[in-house]
């Protein structure tokens, strides 16, 4: 017998199911007051440094129908590319937001600060981006993706550079639809399928 | 900031497949194309932190938290407890663990749940806590009931508690479900069956834990959770030739 590798295997994922909001977004589930303070209500508070933006969009399934029961989490640094807890990070940026789609329109909205570029181990920094994690009924393990911005220089980004089929890069780039407003649609499956990450 | 090394890549063999047709909703909600793999970076190696000051005193007591302590929920009183560890078997201290569940009759307090089993006026169904310095957590709750769901003709979910964990970085983010030892519905559930490896599914089944059961008060179930670890290296973390 060789030496045993005493690593523990990661706990397997399971779908968050249709009622994920009870636990993680109680007010959205119709249960306001479950907690004195809910987590991830907004990624920014008070006097934030940088540009406040709004990103709207929908999460579409393979039939083109917008999911009404997904829960999305976003995680990002501040306008200078510093994450909460790092030295010099903007105290007005908590970085985390939890949001879901409107029950009628199927559209979500994320109001946040536009992030700065972040360093990477690949030499070139990552272009400004927001990390997303999507869970819902029918999704067995949370889907990771990123929002990049049409009006930033994404040409040297180490992650986008790894996408072989160049038209697919476009699925990670939010389109400008107004002053400090962007649209980012997520397609889980089929034509224009969003690039999801294993990272 | 000290570079603690990248996250150990996920072993996707351990996890459910995205597409599993017996779980019908997955058919239109699973990507067709492969995931893009890459070594983790700051966006995955950092994550939110939560302080005790944001938690209420009853947040991890689902028997009392909906009624704010005024009246207990109906059902089998249980303690759910365990450790959060990483793949290197290190405890994950001060991390947020959140749970949600149906009541003793299998009914969720959610505007979209129309199951005919009644709501319990003293049960909300959500709880949260932070692990201690040893990565240990506890919840007091009632055992949830099984419930039917519109999948195949007569599908019923086993008794389960949904669990959400952060760890210390966004790349460790995990949502899973805890099942109960001995529940015959586990073997009939297409959601449990999304996990390919039976020994991995068994890791979601919490054993009855008489050592932590309190006489004349509650039974206990133990549920340990393992999150991704970090790959530390004495060598410089830079890819050559890139």
């Amino acid at each position: 017998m060789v030496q045993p590798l005493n690593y523990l295997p990661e706990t397997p994922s399971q779908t968050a199911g249709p009622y994920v909001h009870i636990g993680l977004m109680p007010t959205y589930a119709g249960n306001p007051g479950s907690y004195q303070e809910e987590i991830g209500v907004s990624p920014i508070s008070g006097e934030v440094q940088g540009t406040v933006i709004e990103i709207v969009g929908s999460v579409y399934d393979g039939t083109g129908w917008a999911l009404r029961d997904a829960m999305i989490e976003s995680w990002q640094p501040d306008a200078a590319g510093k994450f909460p807890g790092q030295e010099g990070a903007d105290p007005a940026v908590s970085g985390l937001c939890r949001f879901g789609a409107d029950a009628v329109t199927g559209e979500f909205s994320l109001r946040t600060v536009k992030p700065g570029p972040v360093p990477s181990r690949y030499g070139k920094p990552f272009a400004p981006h927001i990390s997303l994690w999507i869970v819902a009924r029918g999704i067995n393990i949370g889907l990771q993706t990123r929002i990049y911005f049409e009006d930033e220089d994404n040409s040297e980004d180490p992650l986008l550079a790894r996408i072989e089929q160049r038209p697919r890069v476009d699925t990670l780039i939010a389109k400008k639809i107004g002053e400090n407003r962007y649209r980012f649609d997520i397609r889980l499956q089929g034509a224009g399928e969003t690039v999801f990450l294993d990272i | 900031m000290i570079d603690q090394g990248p996250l150990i890549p996920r072993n996707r063999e351990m996890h459910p497949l995205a597409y599993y047709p017996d779980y019908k909703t997955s058919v239109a909600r699973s990507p067709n194309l492969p995931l893009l793999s890459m070594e983790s970076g700051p966006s995955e190696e950092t994550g939110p932190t939560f302080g005790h000051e944001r938690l209420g005193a009853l947040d991890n007591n689902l028997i009392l938290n909906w009624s704010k302590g005024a009246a207990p929920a109906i059902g089998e009183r249980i303690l759910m407890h365990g450790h959060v560890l990483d793949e290197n078997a290190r405890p994950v201290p001060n991390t947020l663990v959140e749970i949600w569940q149906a009541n003793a009759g299998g009914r969720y307090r959610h505007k979209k749940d129309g199951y005919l089993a009644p709501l319990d006026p003293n049960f909300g169904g959500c709880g949260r806590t932070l692990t201690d310095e040893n990565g240990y957590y506890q919840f007091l709750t009632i055992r949830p009931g099984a419930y039917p769901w519109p999948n195949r003709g007569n599908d019923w979910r086993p008794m389960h508690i949904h669990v959400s964990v952060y760890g210390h970085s966004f790349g460790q983010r995990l949502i899973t479900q805890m099942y109960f030892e001995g529940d015959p519905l586990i073997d009939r559930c297409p959601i449990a069956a999304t996990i390919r490896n039976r020994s991995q599914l068994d890791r979601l089944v919490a054993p009855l834990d008489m050592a932590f059961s309190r006489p004349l008060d509650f039974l206990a179930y133990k549920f340990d959770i393992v999150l991704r670890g970090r790959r530390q290296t004495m060598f410089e973390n830079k890819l050559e030739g890139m």
Side-chain angles (χ1 to χ4, degrees):
Chain A
M1 278 286 272
V2 301
Q3 288 187 17
L5 280 170
N6 290 322
Y7 298 111
L8 301 175
E10 190 186 8
T11 297
S13 172
Q14 291 272 266
T15 179
Y19 307 124
V20 55
H21 317 99
I22 293 177
L24 306 188
M25 298 174 67
T27 298
Y28 181 94
N31 304 330
S34 289
Y35 295 131
Q36 62 186 19
E37 188 188 341
E38 287 185 30
I39 282 160
V41 173
S42 173
I44 52 172
S45 61
E47 289 293 309
V48 68
Q49 295 160 32
T51 310
V52 174
I53 58 172
E54 187 189 21
I55 303 163
V56 296
S58 289
V59 183
Y60 296 101
D61 70 14
T63 75
W65 176 249
L67 274 59
R68 266 66 170 176
D69 53 7
M71 190 203 73
I72 304 175
E73 284 187 356
S74 62
W75 173 246
Q76 64 166 91
D78 65 15
K82 290 194 183 325
F83 287 91
Q86 290 180 345
E87 201 178 324
D90 183 350
V93 178
S94 67
L96 177 76
C97 192
R98 288 173 166 173
F99 51 99
D102 182 273
V104 178
T105 64
E107 194 159 282
F108 65 76
S109 164
L110 169 63
R111 188 178 170 274
T112 187
V113 67
K114 198 172 189 192
V118 298
S120 79
R121 296 191 185 90
Y122 296 86
K124 304 260 174 31
F126 290 107
H129 66 274
I130 296 173
S131 293
L132 295 185
W133 189 70
I134 304 156
V135 293
R137 178 172 64 101
I139 296 176
N140 291 324
I141 180 165
L143 293 167
Q144 297 163 265
T145 189
R146 286 182 176 184
I147 305 175
Y148 287 86
F149 298 92
E150 182 180 48
D151 53 356
E152 295 285 339
D153 179 5
N154 298 312
S155 59
E156 305 272 354
D157 181 83
L159 182 133
L160 296 178
R162 292 176 82 110
I163 301 174
E164 181 192 349
Q165 301 90 356
R166 300 315 290 166
R168 296 201 73 205
V169 172
D170 208 40
T171 69
L172 298 187
I173 296 178
K175 302 297 176 298
K176 200 157 188 193
I177 55 169
E179 183 73 18
N180 300 325
R181 272 177 64 81
Y182 297 86
R183 182 160 192 98
F184 187 76
D185 287 319
I186 298 158
R187 291 184 174 77
L188 298 181
Q189 186 187 81
E193 182 176 305
T194 299
V195 173
F196 296 104
L197 311 173
D198 181 20
I199 194 168
Chain B
M1 207 158 171
I2 299 161
D3 187 345
Q4 296 180 298
L7 288 159
I8 295 171
R10 272 208 156 101
N11 181 355
R12 299 252 165 193
E13 291 288 316
M14 302 291 186
H15 288 286
L17 294 166
Y19 174 76
Y20 189 77
D22 285 353
Y23 177 23
K24 292 183 181 178
T25 315
S26 78
V27 172
R29 294 184 172 193
S30 45
N32 290 333
L33 296 168
L35 304 177
L36 180 72
S37 296
M38 193 176 184
E39 188 173 71
S40 64
S43 296
E44 295 76 35
E45 293 157 14
T46 59
T49 52
F50 308 97
H52 283 279
E53 70 283 354
R54 298 175 70 178
L55 303 190
L58 290 174
D59 278 6
N60 69 339
N61 183 340
L62 286 75
I63 292 177
L64 289 175
N65 66 9
W66 181 256
S67 71
K68 312 293 180 206
I74 287 174
E76 184 181 332
R77 297 163 63 85
I78 61 166
L79 179 81
M80 168 187 176
H81 75 129
H83 286 92
V84 181
L85 306 165
D86 70 14
E87 290 170 288
N88 299 309
R90 291 196 190 93
V92 184
N94 297 312
T95 193
L96 187 70
V97 181
E98 296 166 283
I99 64 171
W100 68 101
Q101 61 170 97
N103 68 22
R107 173 76 184 270
Y108 282 95
R109 188 176 285 280
H110 191 290
K111 54 189 175 186
K112 282 187 180 167
D113 188 359
Y115 181 33
L116 49 78
L119 286 171
D120 176 346
N122 296 319
F123 187 73
C126 70
R128 60 186 186 179
T129 193
L130 290 170
T131 57
D132 70 10
E133 65 276 15
N134 301 312
Y136 180 70
Y137 74 91
Q138 286 190 335
F139 289 101
L140 203 56
T141 186
I142 54 103
R143 183 144 89 150
Y147 62 86
W149 58 299
N151 189 55
R152 300 175 302 201
N154 192 16
D155 272 332
W156 293 71
R157 293 302 325 282
M159 301 176 285
H160 65 276
I161 295 176
H162 296 268
V163 185
S164 166
V165 201
Y166 274 93
H168 292 159
S169 63
F170 202 59
Q172 291 174 296
R173 194 80 182 83
L174 183 75
I175 280 183
T176 189
Q177 300 182 25
M178 179 191 103
Y179 302 109
F180 290 85
E181 178 182 6
D183 186 343
L185 288 170
I186 296 170
D187 287 338
R188 295 169 171 83
C189 177
I191 289 178
T194 60
I195 298 169
R196 288 167 274 181
N197 182 322
R198 179 69 210 206
S199 65
Q200 278 298 98
L201 172 59
D202 285 343
R203 299 179 63 234
L204 299 186
V205 183
L208 178 67
D209 180 0
M210 289 308 292
F212 269 72
S213 299
R214 187 173 189 211
L216 308 178
D217 191 345
F218 52 75
L219 283 171
Y221 286 87
K222 186 150 198 292
F223 189 62
D224 290 333
I225 300 161
V226 180
L227 303 177
R228 294 171 72 185
R230 303 281 284 261
R231 182 166 53 76
Q232 283 172 306
T233 171
M234 306 294 278
F235 295 90
E236 196 168 346
N237 288 302
K238 210 172 234 179
L239 288 189
E240 288 169 44
M242 299 247 345

